[in-house]
Amino acid sequence: MHATNINHQNTPADSEVAQTLRGRISVIENTANLVANIDTTLEATRYSNNQATDVTTGQLLGTALWSIKPGQLEWFVSDVYTQTALDPLSSNTPSNRQNVNALTTGPNYYVRINRRSNLALEARVENYAYDNAQIDNSRVFGASRLDYMFTSSISSNLHYESTQVMYENNVLNPDFNRNDVFLGLLYQRNVNRAELQGGYTLINYDGRTDTRVSRYLLALENRRTRTTTIRAEYNREISDTSSDLRSVTSTDNTTLLATSALLYVRSSTSLNITNTLSSGTLILNVYKTDSDYLADDTQDQDETEKGASLRNLWNISGSSSLAIDGSYIQSSYFNRVPERIDEDYLYGASYIHRYGRNININLRAQQAERKSTESAQTYDDTRITLTLEYVSR
């Protein structure tokens, strides 16, 4: 990889050349009693011009569902080991990353009440461990869901969920209990699908005033043809950054947000269009997300994010394809003094060629730009990446 500004500085230093050696193993099991998917990667990156520190990192994504008594009792295990952003207000650079491991395990139990009704019970123990140990936390989660089918096309579901959150440093980050109650309706017929949810979340701290927040979901989906899907969604719910493994605002990679123990209400509206043909795939996504932090001393992190992305993949031949992608993200922090507004642009093109079953070549050119009212966060970065991959199956 060759990068003109690998550290995303307003005044770039010299360009950088990096070499990465990556090993990856994937294991898939799909039998009557066990469904498991494990994908692990280990990579070492060397920076020739010492603009960044050489690093060795790993990633593990694994899930397993064991059917102890098929249709009635299951046991679920999930483990995610990856990297997250240290500072979500800064761009994704080698120095702005930390390791995190998220482990979840517990049973599922199903009860068939009658021909129309089913009850599902779920229990989980979770643990989140970060390089920044101040936000390490454990969780005990329980959920119940009652499903009722009115017709072959219309069904309802009533949910109750309870979570106890315990931080290693509960002086800096106080423990809390979370309870969710919501009702859902689902309509699905032919090419149309509609989902509606409504309810509330109650947050309880010891010795503090309870916080109650409404939660909603409205999703509409239409498969106009076998190749085209249109989905529109509005979602409002409460979340906390110490367990929320979601994308941080970044133009060149999908690092994750997890830097503190903050509760916030996220309201998101999105439109996704996917068109899949024998000649390729077109994906368009447009969205707006508002993040409203609950504590008075964290409201300077309130954020409004608007974005759009487009990716088009053409199959040139049976062994070659060309992809062109672009995105625009505007992130606004209106409660900061002074206000901060970031605009991220990304343009990229990739050529992929496959030699037989074992060798892949990927050549990618990418231009990333950030324009920010905070001048230190403004940068331009051009990268050219050549990937040579040998795959053994």
Side-chain angles (χ1 to χ4, degrees):
M1 179 187 73
H2 175 268
T4 61
N5 188 5
I6 197 166
N7 290 311
H8 291 174
Q9 296 174 341
N10 188 23
T11 304
D14 292 338
S15 61
E16 183 60 275
V17 177
Q19 301 91 35
T20 297
L21 179 64
R22 177 184 299 115
R24 176 183 177 190
I25 298 176
S26 296
V27 179
I28 299 174
E29 176 78 11
N30 191 354
T31 63
N33 294 322
L34 179 63
V35 177
N37 192 334
I38 300 174
D39 194 323
T40 181
T41 303
L42 181 67
E43 63 180 43
T45 300
R46 176 182 178 272
Y47 296 98
S48 299
N49 299 326
N50 298 319
Q51 297 298 312
T53 303
D54 295 349
V55 64
T56 299
T57 60
Q59 179 169 283
L60 169 66
L61 304 174
T63 61
L65 184 65
W66 175 32
S67 296
I68 302 172
K69 190 173 182 180
Q72 185 173 1
L73 179 61
E74 302 170 337
W75 195 275
F76 176 78
V77 178
S78 171
D79 191 68
V80 176
Y81 179 81
T82 187
Q83 289 190 311
T84 72
L86 283 166
D87 180 6
L89 299 183
S90 296
S91 61
N92 177 27
T93 61
S95 61
N96 187 30
R97 297 171 189 165
Q98 65 173 325
N99 295 320
V100 57
N101 189 79
L103 175 65
T104 302
T105 187
N108 300 328
Y109 186 71
Y110 303 98
V111 179
R112 181 176 175 83
I113 300 175
N114 55 43
R115 185 171 58 89
R116 293 179 178 269
S117 304
N118 295 284
L119 177 65
L121 303 175
E122 180 181 310
R124 297 285 188 269
V125 175
E126 303 176 339
N127 180 264
Y128 294 83
Y130 298 89
D131 283 347
N132 176 13
Q134 292 182 341
I135 56 174
D136 288 355
N137 65 94
S138 299
R139 295 161 188 259
V140 178
F141 171 80
S144 60
R145 185 186 76 243
L146 178 63
D147 295 321
Y148 182 81
M149 181 174 291
F150 294 100
T151 68
S152 60
S153 302
I154 302 174
S155 60
S156 65
N157 44 77
L158 177 63
H159 298 252
Y160 173 71
E161 300 176 355
S162 179
T163 309
Q164 183 180 7
V165 182
M166 298 157 286
Y167 289 97
E168 292 291 330
N169 186 341
N170 56 19
V171 175
L172 180 64
N173 306 307
D175 300 342
F176 65 89
N177 294 322
R178 169 176 176 163
N179 292 279
D180 291 80
V181 179
F182 55 100
L183 175 67
L185 292 174
L186 177 65
Y187 171 83
Q188 187 167 359
R189 186 174 183 181
N190 299 328
V191 299
N192 297 310
R193 175 186 171 94
E195 185 176 359
L196 176 66
Q197 289 183 1
Y200 68 89
T201 299
L202 181 65
I203 303 293
N204 174 257
Y205 292 98
D206 291 338
R208 294 190 183 185
T209 304
D210 294 350
T211 299
R212 178 168 169 161
V213 176
S214 300
R215 57 175 293 168
Y216 309 104
L217 169 68
L218 173 62
L220 304 173
E221 185 174 304
N222 175 259
R223 292 183 175 272
R224 302 182 64 86
T225 67
R226 291 184 302 171
T227 61
T228 303
T229 301
I230 300 175
R231 180 179 175 86
E233 180 177 309
Y234 171 76
N235 190 21
R236 183 181 192 268
E237 62 180 354
I238 194 170
S239 188
D240 62 286
T241 57
S242 61
S243 68
D244 188 17
L245 300 183
R246 69 181 181 91
S247 296
V248 69
T249 302
S250 169
T251 59
D252 60 356
N253 207 337
T254 53
T255 54
L256 306 173
L257 168 62
T259 58
S260 55
L262 303 176
L263 289 170
Y264 67 102
V265 178
R266 181 173 58 205
S267 302
S268 180
T269 304
S270 64
L271 174 66
N272 181 275
I273 301 175
T274 302
N275 190 352
T276 304
L277 299 170
S278 59
S279 59
T281 304
L282 174 67
I283 301 174
L284 171 65
N285 186 50
V286 181
Y287 71 94
K288 177 185 177 184
T289 300
D290 293 306
S291 298
D292 182 12
Y293 288 81
L294 298 182
D296 293 338
D297 59 351
T298 62
Q299 290 184 354
D300 62 339
Q301 298 188 45
D302 289 355
E303 177 189 11
T304 296
E305 182 176 307
K306 305 174 184 177
S309 63
L310 178 67
R311 175 179 172 83
N312 201 352
L313 174 68
W314 291 279
N315 296 319
I316 301 174
S317 66
S319 60
S320 300
S321 58
L322 176 66
I324 296 178
D325 57 274
S327 66
Y328 169 78
I329 301 173
Q330 182 190 77
S331 305
S332 303
Y333 306 90
F334 295 117
N335 288 336
R336 299 180 70 86
V337 180
E339 289 183 359
R340 174 176 165 180
I341 299 177
D342 298 339
E343 292 184 301
D344 290 291
Y345 302 83
L346 175 68
Y347 326 95
S350 301
Y351 174 75
I352 306 101
H353 187 79
R354 293 170 291 278
Y355 284 98
R357 289 174 52 84
N358 301 104
I359 298 177
N360 299 325
I361 296 178
N362 186 330
L363 178 63
R364 176 171 173 80
Q366 173 181 295
Q367 172 70 18
E369 301 175 9
R370 170 174 286 184
K371 299 178 181 179
S372 176
T373 55
E374 189 172 315
S375 59
Q377 296 296 329
T378 296
Y379 66 84
D380 293 335
D381 181 19
T382 302
R383 301 195 181 198
I384 298 175
T385 306
L386 175 64
T387 303
L388 305 176
E389 181 181 60
Y390 176 80
V391 181
S392 177
R393 296 181 173 90

